[in-house]
Amino acid sequence: MASAASLFHSDNAEVETLNRRVRPSDGQREYLLEHKNELAAWLASDLDDLGMEVSHFIQGSYKFHTLIRPLRKGDEYDVDLGLYFKGRSHADVDPAKLREAVQRSLRRYSAENDELHSIEEPKERCCRAKYKQSFHIDVPVYHETPAGRDVRLATLSKGWERSDPSAMIDWFDDAIGGTAANRAMIRRLIRYLKAWSALTFRSQAIGPSSLMLTILVVDAFKQVVTDDDEDDDALAKVVGAIYQRLVSDRVVPNPIQGDSDDDVNRLSEQDHGYFLEKLAALADVSHRAICCEDGSEAAAIWSEAFSYVFPLPEGLGVLATSQNGLSVPTPDIVIKMSAASSNSVDRTFRGQVDHARIGEGMTFEITNPEVIPNGAQVRWVVRNSGNDALSTSDLGHVTPDDGTFRQFEKAAYRGRHFMDCEVWLHGRLRSVTRIPVTIDRIAMPLRTRATRPAYTKLMRR
């Protein structure tokens, strides 16, 4: 029904959408590219004494244009910089020694570059340079024979592996084909699934790889999505198709014939089962959301899967389920403001924060906890927005209530943000109470009494 399509994607740059929240800004992409180029130039120059031609090739999500920003605290941008050595035969080049040479070069580079945090211990298929600004560059090492394109990847335990990233890029470009609109939608759908995965699984060790999700989305899109579908309907169709496919057969064939990995699904049996369990939950959320005629209700359901990353409608005040035609009671919330260096209450708001200064403390408190039913869980969901928050990739966070029915936060970024008080019962969202919070750096205006935001249309079941 596409009732929440505008919250997934919009051509209006002023509208906050899921795609805009998960996609890096042009400035952030340029920043990553700048550091990638600096590292590539260093490696090419520092390793030119190995007797082979050295080149580089950016690959992975950056090259696919499906890169997403870090979504959780501690997450990082992941950039893949393929380092290619050309000359001699594979048998004449020791993959272990080549990896050691690259690792030593990265350590020399780290000593010369203050922006690097560390050079991590070598991984099975790459070296890694970790930067202070929440990103890392993975450096897989390849060898290419002079005659013909025969490319091998240097691994730690398996020697040379057949792997050709440039062939994967060619496959992707050919596979998404079609119109410009279809190509753009496929990339957005991949970002949505990658964002869901990043929020759902603690690491790629127990969740699907980016490449696996990319292949699954491309294959499903061609089978089930039509030109009339908008992003929410398309995502629901793709998720359903992927789930049905993996229930029938867990193998995800590598589209590049000749690569050592015939199956890109590297999950263990246990992790694959967990992945299917979470994918089934996403399929259920998707189905319920697209069946909603009301955009606010659909958005609240989508947020069950995407949490604070999914934007709720701007005008939403309180959204609640109904019982026997009557809306369930919802929390009333008061906000007590305190100075950065004090615990004393400076002023109080109800229902919204008209003005906060950066560094001020805000205590959100439910004044009618008796409306929370037995067995329900309260979640305090911060949804940050605006350039200040997005520039640091701090989209928000979720804090389960500890039984006190209050939550403390500090004003950190200029802009208009939201504290959403969610009440969950039996695994479903029962109500959402939105608290708009306006933060800036200017002096505090005269105290005014805040008004409670208007109620929106109630959810129905």
Side-chain angles (χ1 to χ4, degrees), residues 1-18:
M1 286 188 173
S3 56
S6 63
L7 295 174
F8 279 85
H9 167 68
S10 174
D11 293 329
N12 184 349
E14 301 301 318
V15 176
E16 188 170 50
T17 63
L18 179 61

Side-chain angles (χ1 to χ4, degrees), residues 118-152:
S118 63
I119 302 300
E120 296 190 356
E121 289 300 309
K123 301 183 179 298
E124 175 65 17
R125 289 177 170 82
C126 69
C127 303
R128 175 172 291 180
K130 187 178 175 71
Y131 288 75
K132 296 176 181 177
Q133 296 299 318
S134 298
F135 76 97
H136 62 259
I137 298 179
D138 285 339
V139 184
V141 178
Y142 299 89
H143 180 257
E144 182 179 357
T145 55
R149 185 161 182 82
D150 183 5
V151 181
R152 306 291 173 92

Side-chain angles (χ1 to χ4, degrees), residues 4 7 294-300 310-317 319 416 418 434 456:
L7 295 174
D294 180 72
S296 296
E297 179 182 350
F310 196 87
L312 295 182
E314 175 66 24
L316 178 62
L319 192 65
R416 189 167 185 264
F418 293 94
R434 304 213 82 188
T456 64

Side-chain angles (χ1 to χ4, degrees), residues 335-456:
I335 308 95
K336 299 176 181 178
M337 309 295 295
S338 57
S341 58
S342 172
N343 292 325
S344 61
V345 176
D346 179 66
R347 62 199 188 283
T348 301
F349 293 103
R350 182 177 295 276
Q352 67 183 40
V353 176
D354 291 336
H355 183 93
R357 292 170 289 193
I358 289 179
E360 279 193 306
M362 301 175 288
T363 301
F364 299 81
E365 183 174 349
I366 297 175
T367 60
N368 57 341
E370 66 276 4
V371 305
I372 309 298
N374 291 332
Q377 181 189 42
V378 174
R379 299 180 188 175
W380 299 96
V381 182
V382 172
R383 281 179 168 86
N384 291 326
S385 59
N387 291 333
D388 281 10
L390 292 181
S391 66
T392 61
S393 295
D394 187 355
L395 302 184
H397 54 269
V398 179
T399 306
D401 188 80
D402 60 2
T404 62
F405 299 112
R406 64 172 63 94
Q407 174 64 18
F408 177 81
E409 299 285 343
K410 275 198 172 183
Y413 307 106
R414 289 178 297 176
R416 189 167 185 264
H417 314 283
F418 293 94
M419 167 64 89
D420 295 327
C421 179
E422 297 182 348
V423 180
W424 289 69
L425 186 64
H426 306 313
R428 295 285 180 89
L429 190 60
R430 173 183 167 95
S431 69
V432 181
T433 305
R434 304 213 82 188
I435 310 296
V437 178
T438 301
I439 302 173
D440 60 36
R441 300 178 188 274
I442 64 176
M444 180 61 59
L446 294 176
R447 183 179 303 175
T448 58
R449 183 176 180 81
T451 58
R452 181 170 178 157
Y455 282 71
T456 64

Side-chain angles (χ1 to χ4, degrees), residues 127-385:
C127 303
R128 175 172 291 180
K130 187 178 175 71
Y131 288 75
K132 296 176 181 177
Q133 296 299 318
S134 298
F135 76 97
H136 62 259
I137 298 179
D138 285 339
V139 184
V141 178
Y142 299 89
H143 180 257
E144 182 179 357
T145 55
R149 185 161 182 82
D150 183 5
V151 181
R152 306 291 173 92
L153 171 68
T155 69
L156 289 184
S157 64
K158 299 178 182 179
W160 292 118
E161 266 190 5
R162 289 186 176 88
S163 178
D164 190 352
S166 65
M168 186 64 74
I169 299 297
D170 292 340
W171 165 82
F172 182 77
D173 290 340
D174 290 340
I176 65 175
T179 65
N182 280 350
R183 294 195 297 272
M185 178 182 280
I186 291 174
R187 288 187 167 101
R188 293 196 300 272
L189 294 174
I190 293 171
R191 290 189 203 105
Y192 302 152
L193 262 295
K194 288 172 62 175
W196 165 79
S197 180
L199 293 167
T200 304
F201 304 100
R202 294 190 300 275
S203 71
Q204 283 192 355
I206 61 171
S209 68
S210 175
L211 179 59
M212 178 176 166
L213 288 176
T214 297
I215 294 171
L216 289 170
V217 170
V218 170
D219 289 348
F221 184 92
K222 292 186 290 186
Q223 296 172 5
V224 299
V225 178
T226 69
D227 290 340
D228 295 330
D229 288 328
E230 296 192 62
D231 282 26
D232 52 352
D233 287 332
L235 180 59
K237 287 183 177 181
V238 164
V239 169
I242 292 174
Y243 177 73
Q244 293 300 326
R245 168 183 175 169
L246 294 178
V247 166
S248 300
D249 186 359
R250 60 162 288 156
V251 174
V252 182
N254 191 330
I256 307 304
Q257 295 183 358
D259 275 5
S260 294
D261 279 341
D262 296 327
D263 179 11
V264 299
N265 185 357
R266 295 174 179 164
L267 297 175
S268 67
E269 288 292 338
Q270 180 179 352
D271 291 340
H272 180 75
Y274 183 61
F275 173 45
L276 281 183
E277 177 186 331
K278 294 301 182 181
L279 195 61
L282 177 61
D284 174 68
V285 166
S286 303
H287 176 72
R288 288 189 286 117
I290 65 172
C291 288
C292 292
E293 296 183 0
D294 180 72
S296 296
E297 179 182 350
I301 295 173
W302 280 115
S303 71
E304 292 180 21
F306 292 100
S307 190
Y308 55 87
V309 177
F310 196 87
L312 295 182
E314 175 66 24
L316 178 62
V318 176
L319 192 65
T321 58
S322 62
Q323 295 177 349
N324 300 322
L326 299 175
S327 62
V328 300
T330 56
D332 291 327
I333 298 176
V334 67
I335 308 95
K336 299 176 181 178
M337 309 295 295
S338 57
S341 58
S342 172
N343 292 325
S344 61
V345 176
D346 179 66
R347 62 199 188 283
T348 301
F349 293 103
R350 182 177 295 276
Q352 67 183 40
V353 176
D354 291 336
H355 183 93
R357 292 170 289 193
I358 289 179
E360 279 193 306
M362 301 175 288
T363 301
F364 299 81
E365 183 174 349
I366 297 175
T367 60
N368 57 341
E370 66 276 4
V371 305
I372 309 298
N374 291 332
Q377 181 189 42
V378 174
R379 299 180 188 175
W380 299 96
V381 182
V382 172
R383 281 179 168 86
N384 291 326
S385 59

